[in-house]
């Protein structure tokens, strides 16, 4: 008899869910961390699709004594999303805006709605949800409620808790209830039932009613003047409501859920108050100070003017922004070398009123002798100031070496008038530990994100982590402040809650937790009954240093492991295309955590720290899985505040994977494109004819793994170099026109057009064709790519020595000289490769620079009016600037040039050609690029410098996009 298969508990659960249940190790690794210093492999990950799924999960948790860890964007800094139970990810399917009531100024949303996405919908109605965290472009409303998030605007608009009106929740017995303002008669009616809801109302009221309990709460909880106070459950807020305060508002237990970190219920929908948009005329006063202590005094003075925001950036964090491509460009307003800067936002309904606000505030600081410079920045550049401030969390991860600024005492809040004395005391405290902390963020709210620099890979570092944590708690208590202002207690602060509110109040919190969640299934170990803050850290004390040799040079990041560890988990890679983000196009298409840069970096860190096979740590199925949809677009290199370079990490990992497992036919073909193209280029007509015969075309696609839906680019009838007749000798050259393999064999007309434009503009150029190695790098064929790079350096040594511009037409090829070559070549060639990188330019950069220097102008071009829309190649976005393409294409004076707000086109070299990637490739194209082209007027000219971008546009919308050189050549008089 065949034994009957007994399904496991996970199989049974999966059958009952409409959503997904992930039990594989790869998925568990992805959800083992958040943006905190903690790591704990969960038992499984559930991605619920409906509220019914949540009820199923709660019942499963009760039956199996399985903790549920609710999670939205996973940007928590205190470890709220880390646990060994079942992670419940709301971010993918609970993302609907359910109702907007503009007249009464409220909205109802699901917990997975992104804060900035909500405001994008509200803006046309003149409304916005005011709490504004630095993660607002990816953090979600459910997480904001769970943490009672605040952000830069709290000094004017209050906290998330202040905005919560009503919550629909699932209680620990699986019952669904609505928590909102309840009159005494409504509460009496609820309490007549025999339900968990009635028990909660009865017992919460019973627990808080005794006068001695209320006295103890008011005595020990943080000062009421501190609006950012998130220590424990908000029982002090409930005391301001009926029946505890007869003249108070009706009792609203939703206020208790706000800040409860998912420890007492699961939220299915959220009704929140929204505000009228702030006054339209705005400015940011970027006040510069010599020292931190001077800045603290200035904060107290500035707050008397009631600004809309008052945010701090100290010297340490300003210095870190120098190492980030995008944020270095946002330092435009910095004068000298300030010890700290306050970014103070003022607003008014009129320009005259704004001018008065600016003069009053600057006058207040000057009268007090505070500050040495007060640059005023207005829109659109004001957004760049706030981008620099918001990047603080990420750029701190760029600090080289194993010691990093650690988030654990970063959330303390005191009365703003106590801030100078508190910071002076904290500085003394840090000096006692041999520390100099980093300071930034919400000075105007009495809260600074303070980060000591520690090496948590050592036992000494972990011990100091705990000692500083406890000492900080005791110092905050002296000022009757809050240990958590907005980031929550989580794992990192909950241990010290008894210090902050006293043992009696802590016992009260445990009673509250037990009333709501008697079996302890909701996010245990957070707020109450927390383990030591040293438990379950990402790093083991005494962890061995990373020793694995790498082919690429990771010394700028110290080593490969630290290149991955730069990711702090703050989730900038989870931004959507609607925010203008380009990073992680595959995540934007799938909305799966595994397709984010964060997931990939976390997997690298995990497998390099805890390798299954120490001899071959990169030979990991989990790593291969998360890298599969990485397009190597390099957007993370620019947009990630931590500058995580996933394209570089992927190339190294793919190289090691190839050495163990060999190359597929497709990888060999695409990687060696320059060789195959050279063969086809001998008889292009024959090659094109064969590839247009269905039989041969289908065999080719099948063998190489190419999607059947894809067109196959034709080979040019002549090689590019044979079409260019006006190049000059090396001796006479003032620049090099570099021809890559894609242009040489498939886009020869682009080279011909570029040569014509350069000749007409009066440039003496020498023409060189050399393979770029781009395809080899993308396929992890690094030894072959190194040989190509060495050949390029050898062939161009004369131009490098003369410091000539080396101008390329295909962005991915020429920008590889700038980005990969210095890391690819042997140590003895790195200085030469760095010299090459300095002089390598795209065609558009070269023209733009010569427009600025007034070497060229638009007099040689047509005066006809045309409209040009430009799609930039990903590597241009990451390593160059859109303005260069816009400037170059604006040489014809009546050409109106617009940059399409698209991210990656979805092709990414060979990525979009491969059958396994085709669907995602087209989804990426459909996010912005394809709809934009479809909506444009028929007469619009579309420009795209990348050959793969042009082919994606042709396949996706049947439109021929042109290289900028072709457009300019056609525009010559």
């Amino acid at each position: 008899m065949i034994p009957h298969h007994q399904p496991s508990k996970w199989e049974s659960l999966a059958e009952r869910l409409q959503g997904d249940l992930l039990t594989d190790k790869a998925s568990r690794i992805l959800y083992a961390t958040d943006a905190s210093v903690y790591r704990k492999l969960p038992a499984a990950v559930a991605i619920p699709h409906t509220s019914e799924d949540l009820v199923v999960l709660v019942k499963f948790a009760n039956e199996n004594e399985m903790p549920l860890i609710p999670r939205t964007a996973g940007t928590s800094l205190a470890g709220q999303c880390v646990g060994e139970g079942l992670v419940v990810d709301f971010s993918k399917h609970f993302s609907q805006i359910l109702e907007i009531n503009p007249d009464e100024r409220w909205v109802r949303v699901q917990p997975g709605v992104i804060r900035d996405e909500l405001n994008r919908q509200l803006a046309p109605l003149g409304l916005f949800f005011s709490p504004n965290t630095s993660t607002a472009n990816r953090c979600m409303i459910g997480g904001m409620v769970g943490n009672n998030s605040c952000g830069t605007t709290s000094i004017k608009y209050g906290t998330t808790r202040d905005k919560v009106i009503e919550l629909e929740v699932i209680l620990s017995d699986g019952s669904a209830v609505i928590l909102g303002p309840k009159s005494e008669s409504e509460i009496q009616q609820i309490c007549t039932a025999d339900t968990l809801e009635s028990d909660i109302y009865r017992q919460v009221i019973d627990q808080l009613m005794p006068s001695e309990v209320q006295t103890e709460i008011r005595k020990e909880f943080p000062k009421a003047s501190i609006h950012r106070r998130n220590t424990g459950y908000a029982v002090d807020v409930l005391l301001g409501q009926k029946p505890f305060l007869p003249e108070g508002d009706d009792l609203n237990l939703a206020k208790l859920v706000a800040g409860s970190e998912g420890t007492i219920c699961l939220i299915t929908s959220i009704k929140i108050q929204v505000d009228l948009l702030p006054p339209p005329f705005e400015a940011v006063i970027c006040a510069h100070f010599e020292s931190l202590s001077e800045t603290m005094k200035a904060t107290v003075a500035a707050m008397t003017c009631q600004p809309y925001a008052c945010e701090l950036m100290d010297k340490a964090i300003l210095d870190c922004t120098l190492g980030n491509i995008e944020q270095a460009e946002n330092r435009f307003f910095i004068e000298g070398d300030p010890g700290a800067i306050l970014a103070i936002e003022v607003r008014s309904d009129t320009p005259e009123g704004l001018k008065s606000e600016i003069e009053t505030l600057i006058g207040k600081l000057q009268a007090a002798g505070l500050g040495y410079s007060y640059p005023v920045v207005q829109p659109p550049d004001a957004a760049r100031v706030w981008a620099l401030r918001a990047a603080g969390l990420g750029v701190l991860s760029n600090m080289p070496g194993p010691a990093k600024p650690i988030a654990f005492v970063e959330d303390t809040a005191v009365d703003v008038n106590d801030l100078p004395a508190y910071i002076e005391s904290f500085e003394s405290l840090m000096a006692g530990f041999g520390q100099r902390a980093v300071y930034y963020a919400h000075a105007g709210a009495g809260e600074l994100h303070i980060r000591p620099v520690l090496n948590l890979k050592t036992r000494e570092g972990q011990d100091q982590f705990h000692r500083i944590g406890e000492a900080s708690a005791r110092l905050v208590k002296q000022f009757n402040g809050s240990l958590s202002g907005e980031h929550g207690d989580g794992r990192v602060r909950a241990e010290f809650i008894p210090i902050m509110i006293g043992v009696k109040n802590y016992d009260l919190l445990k009673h509250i937790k037990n009333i709501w969640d008697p079996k302890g299934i909701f996010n245990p170990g957070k707020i109450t009954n927390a383990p030591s803050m040293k438990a379950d850290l990402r790093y083991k004390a005494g962890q061995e240093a990373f020793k694995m040799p790498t082919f690429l040079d990771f010394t700028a990041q110290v080593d490969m492991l630290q290149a991955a560890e730069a990711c702090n988990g703050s989730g900038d890679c989870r931004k959507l295309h609607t925010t203008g983000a380009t990073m992680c196009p595959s995540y934007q298409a799938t909305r799966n955590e595994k397709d984010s840069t964060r997931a990939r970096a976390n997997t690298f860190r995990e497998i390099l720290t805890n390798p299954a096979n120490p001899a071959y740590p990169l030979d990991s199925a989990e790593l291969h899985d998360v890298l599969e949809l990485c397009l190597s677009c390099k957007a993370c290199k620019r947009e990630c505040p931590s500058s995580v370079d996933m394209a570089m990490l992927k190339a190294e990992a793919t190289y090691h994977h190839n050495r163990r497992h060999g190359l597929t036919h497709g990888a060999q073909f695409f990687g060696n494109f320059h060789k195959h193209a050279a063969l086809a280029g001998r008889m292009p007509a024959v090659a094109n004819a064969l590839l247009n015969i269905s039989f041969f075309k289908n065999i080719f696609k099948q063998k190489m793994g190419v999607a059947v839906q894809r067109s196959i680019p034709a080979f040019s009838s002549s090689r590019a170099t044979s079409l260019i007749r006006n190049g000059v000798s090396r001796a006479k050259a003032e620049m090099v026109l570099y021809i890559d393999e894609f242009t040489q064999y498939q886009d020869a007309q682009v080279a011909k057009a570029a040569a014509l434009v350069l000749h007409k503009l009066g440039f003496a150029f020498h023409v060189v064709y050399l393979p770029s190695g781009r395809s080899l790098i993308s396929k992890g064929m690094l030894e072959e790519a190194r040989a190509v790079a060495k050949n390029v350096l050898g062939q161009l040594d004369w131009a490098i020595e003369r410091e000539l511009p080396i101008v390329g037409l295909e962005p991915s090829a020429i920008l590889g000289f700038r980005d990969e070559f210095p890391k690819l070549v042997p140590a003895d060639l790195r200085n030469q490769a760095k010299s090459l990188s300095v002089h390598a330019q795209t065609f558009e950069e070269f023209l733009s620079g010569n427009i600025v220097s007034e070497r060229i102008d638009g007099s040689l071009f047509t005066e006809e009016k045309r409209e040009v829309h430009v799609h930039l190649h990903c590597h241009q976005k990451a390593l160059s600037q859109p303005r260069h393409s816009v400037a170059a294409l604006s040489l014809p004076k009546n050409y109106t040039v617009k940059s399409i707000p698209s991210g990656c086109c979805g092709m990414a070299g060979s990525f979009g050609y491969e059958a396994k990637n085709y669907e995602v490739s087209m989804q990426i194209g459909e996010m912005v690029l394809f709809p934009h082209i479809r909506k444009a007027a028929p007469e619009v000219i579309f420009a795209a410098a990348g050959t793969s971008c042009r082919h994606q546009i042709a396949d996706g919308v049947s439109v021929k996009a042109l290289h900028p050189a072709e457009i300019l050549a056609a525009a010559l008089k």
Side-chain angles (χ1 to χ4, degrees), residues 610-621:
N610 304 296
N613 184 347
Y616 301 98
L618 292 173
D619 184 25
S620 157

Side-chain angles (χ1 to χ4, degrees), residues 757-758 761 843-851 856 888 891 968:
V757 171
L758 292 172
L761 291 174
F843 179 72
E844 298 92 320
E845 286 175 331
F846 179 75
L847 293 184
S848 176
N850 281 281
I851 293 170
I856 60 176
L891 274 168
L968 290 174

Side-chain angles (χ1 to χ4, degrees), residues 835-904:
S835 296
L836 171 64
S837 73
V838 171
H839 299 102
Q841 300 179 41
T842 66
F843 179 72
E844 298 92 320
E845 286 175 331
F846 179 75
L847 293 184
S848 176
N850 281 281
I851 293 170
V852 172
S853 68
E854 299 183 350
R855 164 77 188 269
I856 60 176
D857 58 38
S859 59
L860 293 174
F861 295 91
T862 180
E863 296 182 7
E864 180 184 1
K865 291 185 178 181
R866 297 301 300 267
E867 185 173 346
V868 181
H869 292 189
V870 188
H871 167 76
L872 263 71
H873 187 284
C874 289
H875 293 188
Q876 284 179 295
K877 294 184 184 83
L879 303 170
S880 183
Q881 286 281 352
R883 59 182 168 84
H884 297 304
S885 295
V886 173
L889 286 164
S890 298
L891 274 168
K893 67 179 183 179
N894 291 323
Y895 275 27
T896 301
V897 184
K898 296 180 181 178
S899 184
I900 300 173
S902 51
C904 181

Side-chain angles (χ1 to χ4, degrees), residues 728-737 764-768 770 791-806 832:
V728 300
S729 67
R730 290 183 180 183
K732 295 180 179 179
E734 60 178 314
M735 60 169 285
V736 173
L737 177 58
F765 56 90
H766 182 73
V767 183
V768 173
L770 292 166
N791 181 54
V792 168
L793 293 175
Q795 295 293 325
L796 293 179
D797 58 349
W798 62 274
I800 297 169
E801 186 176 342
R802 288 177 54 192
E803 299 186 346
L804 297 183
I806 298 168
Q832 188 183 11

Side-chain angles (χ1 to χ4, degrees), residues 582-590 595 597 600 626-636 646-647 650 774 778 873-875 903-912 917 920-922 924-925 927 952:
T582 62
M583 184 165 41
C584 259
S586 53
Y587 169 76
Q588 294 187 43
T590 68
D595 299 321
T597 301
R600 296 169 185 134
V626 298
L627 289 176
E628 187 173 20
L629 291 184
C630 173
L631 289 82
S632 296
C633 67
K634 298 182 185 289
C636 51
M646 191 51 59
K650 181 182 180 180
R774 164 54 54 208
S778 70
H873 187 284
C874 289
H875 293 188
C904 181
C905 71
M907 188 67 90
S910 66
F911 177 89
N917 301 329
V920 168
S921 171
M922 300 310 283
I924 293 169
M927 289 191 295
Q952 175 76 327

Side-chain angles (χ1 to χ4, degrees), residues 317-329:
I317 204 162
L318 290 171
D319 287 349
C320 283
T321 62
L322 288 166
N324 179 271
I325 296 173
E326 186 162 286
Q327 298 312 323
E329 296 168 1

Side-chain angles (χ1 to χ4, degrees), residues 165-178:
I165 300 170
E166 186 177 277
L167 301 174
E168 293 184 25
V169 304
I170 307 294
L171 299 179
S172 61
D173 65 347
S175 59
V177 302
I178 296 176

